[in-house]
Amino acid sequence: MSILLGVEFSGAWVRLVVVGRQAQVLARREEPLATPIELWWETHPEERHRALSELLVDAVRHGAFRPADVSAIGVTAPPALILLDADFVPIPPREISWGEVDPAKYYGRPWDALAALLGESPNACRRVGAVLDMVGFLRFRLSGGLGTDLDFAWSGGHIRSPKDPASWSTPSLEKVGLLPSQLPPIFPASQRVSVVAEETIERTGLRRGTWVCGGGDPLNTRLLFAAPPEPGRSVVRLLPEGVERFEVGPPPDQWTTDSVPTALDGVFLHRRDPSGWDPRTGSVHAESEGVVLDWGAELEPDLDACPGTLRIAADAGVASAGSAISAGLGLGWWRDPRPIFRKRRPPRTLAAFRTAGSVPEGATAEGGDSEEMGEAFDG
């Protein structure tokens, strides 16, 4: 049996999703974090690596998966800034001279925080051997492979062009005060990067040759795998207050934060006007028939005012399987991902979602048939 692991850092939790060859979810588990993932300037990055390792070990202990069955791991985490020294050892946050810079002012914008830091303390750059995001650091600790995920590179706008987002723009980096040698290669979310290192094998029991893939931002990954990525399709993400609406399309003509790359080559998500698209208000947009609703595990939205015909993403209300599925794309398990959505992970109507109910947090395939559990999870 071959399976995929998807690890998602989100809010105050780290979550694991186990996925099979048919893109069915076999298990889900989660563990709390001592410090929310977004507060990257307050937490040593090794704490995140320990949390990931402990989650994997605990999942094996409770029968969520067998290490020998794992073919690849995909990791997602929100934007964060990790600086390594010349020996590729993480520089503790307390040793970074932020000076007058308050990282909290740049919440969700680590590139801007880095630019402000180097502007206040130009000499700080001399100590930096490599600039990473959280996903890049976790991949580095799991496998020793040094690289940056495409989502992080795009968020800073230092890519060569929207048509070539996996290449750094040297002039743009130099304006910030960075040398091209300080930025590792850029890897798309689904690309195979490196195999697990001996330390990871000893800690988790994973077999030699297990791939660690590019990974990326959990939001981008979640939205992509909420519905078939057909051009023009919209996904509405429900938030505690209001909504976000994204539309599937080709790369933009120029870099913008309102467009983000995905695990599928050439497929982007474009932020659109969300006005009138919140079905919880009782009003339904005239073009909402093809829209898919989604929301994360931290939210329990009141859907009483929503029409029962609205469609709900397969992973609505639970951790997304997208990080694991993107790793499977990198392995070549699926040449065309569209059947995954049509056959295994189709969005459900709200009426069907209400009938089936959501999957309880921490549920696993313990004591049951994996295929049956996967079908139940996917609806």
Side-chain angles (χ1 to χ4, degrees):
M1 180 180 182
S2 297
I3 60 173
L4 305 165
L5 302 184
V7 178
E8 175 187 285
F9 284 83
S10 178
W13 298 88
V14 55
R15 296 182 170 94
L16 172 71
V17 182
V18 184
V19 171
R21 288 297 294 251
Q22 301 301 316
Q24 76 277 30
V25 175
L26 304 179
R28 285 188 173 96
R29 293 193 66 83
E30 65 177 21
E31 295 290 343
L33 296 170
T35 306
I37 185 68
E38 291 86 354
L39 302 182
W40 48 264
W41 59 87
E42 295 183 3
T43 305
H44 196 293
E46 284 294 351
E47 292 293 328
R48 306 307 189 198
H49 177 238
R50 275 193 287 271
L52 189 158
S53 298
E54 291 171 2
L55 174 63
L56 295 179
V57 171
D58 185 68
V60 171
R61 184 183 301 119
H62 287 84
F65 69 90
R66 293 187 302 177
D69 293 337
V70 180
S71 297
I73 304 173
V75 180
T76 60
L81 181 63
I82 309 296
L83 303 180
L84 306 185
D85 64 19
D87 296 320
F88 298 125
V89 175
I91 302 174
R94 65 179 181 276
E95 295 183 13
I96 298 175
S97 302
W98 289 106
E100 299 300 321
V101 179
D102 180 6
K105 294 181 179 179
Y106 302 97
Y107 179 83
R109 297 180 290 125
W111 279 106
D112 292 341
L114 178 60
L117 169 66
L118 297 180
E120 291 285 339
S121 308
N123 292 332
C125 185
R126 297 179 181 177
R127 189 182 176 188
V128 177
V131 177
L132 294 177
D133 59 320
M134 185 60 69
V135 172
F137 174 74
L138 292 171
R139 190 191 321 110
F140 173 64
R141 291 294 283 113
L142 286 171
S143 67
L146 200 60
T148 300
D149 68 86
L150 179 57
D151 292 345
F152 180 70
W154 179 274
S155 68
H158 302 298
I159 46 92
R160 185 168 296 173
S161 75
K163 302 296 184 182
D164 186 18
S167 297
W168 294 109
S169 168
T170 298
S172 181
L173 293 174
E174 290 176 343
K175 288 181 180 179
V176 178
L178 293 171
L179 300 174
S181 59
Q182 294 172 307
L183 278 299
I186 302 172
F187 294 104
S190 62
Q191 184 170 333
R192 290 181 291 179
V193 177
S194 48
V195 296
V196 290
E198 288 298 319
E199 179 186 357
T200 300
I201 295 171
E202 293 175 2
R203 294 186 70 169
T204 65
L206 293 171
R207 63 180 177 83
R208 288 177 175 82
T210 302
W211 283 99
V212 182
C213 295
D217 188 298
L219 173 59
N220 303 355
T221 304
R222 182 179 194 93
L223 294 173
L224 172 67
F225 292 102
E230 300 164 354
R233 179 180 296 278
S234 286
V235 177
V236 171
R237 178 186 177 223
L238 301 185
L239 302 171
E241 296 182 3
V243 301
E244 288 182 317
R245 182 167 73 95
F246 295 83
E247 185 177 288
V248 177
D253 294 330
Q254 59 184 8
W255 178 83
T256 170
T257 56
D258 286 330
S259 297
V260 292
T262 71
L264 298 179
D265 186 34
V267 177
F268 276 66
L269 293 164
H270 305 277
R271 194 183 302 272
R272 301 300 189 216
D273 182 4
S275 301
W277 288 83
D278 191 340
R280 293 169 295 183
T281 64
S283 60
V284 180
H285 197 278
E287 301 177 8
S288 64
E289 183 176 351
V291 168
V292 175
L293 302 183
D294 194 16
W295 61 90
E298 292 84 2
L299 182 65
E300 295 182 4
D302 181 3
L303 303 177
D304 289 343
C306 300
T309 54
L310 286 177
R311 294 196 296 167
I312 309 297
D315 292 330
V318 293
S320 170
S323 54
I325 294 176
S326 63
L329 295 176
L331 294 182
W333 281 15
W334 307 291
R335 294 183 179 180
D336 183 353
R338 288 174 295 182
I340 294 176
F341 302 94
R342 291 196 300 263
K343 299 178 181 179
R344 302 297 307 188
R345 302 178 55 76
R348 295 173 287 180
T349 64
L350 175 58
F353 177 82
R354 283 170 166 160
T355 300
S358 59
V359 179
E361 283 302 308
T364 72
E366 296 173 43
D369 182 87
S370 297
E371 292 289 333
E372 292 180 358
M373 291 296 289
E375 289 290 346
F377 282 176
D378 286 347

